[in-house]
Amino acid sequence: MSKKFLTDVIAEFAEMSVAAAGRVAEDIIAAIKAEIVETGRFTIPDFGAFIVRETPKRTALNPPTGEKVAVKAGATVRFRASPSLK
């Protein structure tokens, strides 16, 4: 799904201009991001959930040189599909 697709769907079903639908799409995406940052999870019923997973500190290899590189701990967002979507 792209932002353009989301904008087009909103514009079609809400019968509003593409510019206004684009602003609505941006607001929806911003709200989803804020919820993930605040709670670590965002769920859309019958679709799935976006879950924050912590990644540990590790050592990786630089492929061209073979040199060991330290990688910091961090976080990544994973998607888990709901049973009805599967």
Side-chain angles (χ1 to χ4, degrees):
M1 178 185 312
S2 66
K3 182 179 163 190
K4 181 178 180 341
F5 173 79
L6 189 58
T7 299
D8 292 342
V9 169
I10 293 169
E12 180 181 340
F13 288 104
E15 297 178 358
M16 61 174 51
S17 70
V18 174
R23 288 190 298 274
V24 170
E26 287 176 6
D27 290 344
I28 290 170
I29 293 168
I32 291 170
K33 286 180 183 178
E35 183 69 16
I36 289 172
V37 168
E38 184 178 320
T39 65
R41 182 179 187 98
F42 179 77
T43 303
I44 301 172
D46 294 331
F47 183 69
F50 296 91
I51 304 165
V52 174
R53 296 280 174 127
E54 299 297 323
T55 56
K57 180 173 74 171
R58 62 186 174 88
T59 303
L61 290 178
N62 182 345
T65 64
E67 177 184 355
K68 290 186 178 184
V69 179
V71 178
K72 299 187 287 186
T76 185
V77 178
R78 303 269 173 99
F79 176 74
R80 180 178 291 157
S82 72
S84 62
L85 182 63
K86 290 180 182 179

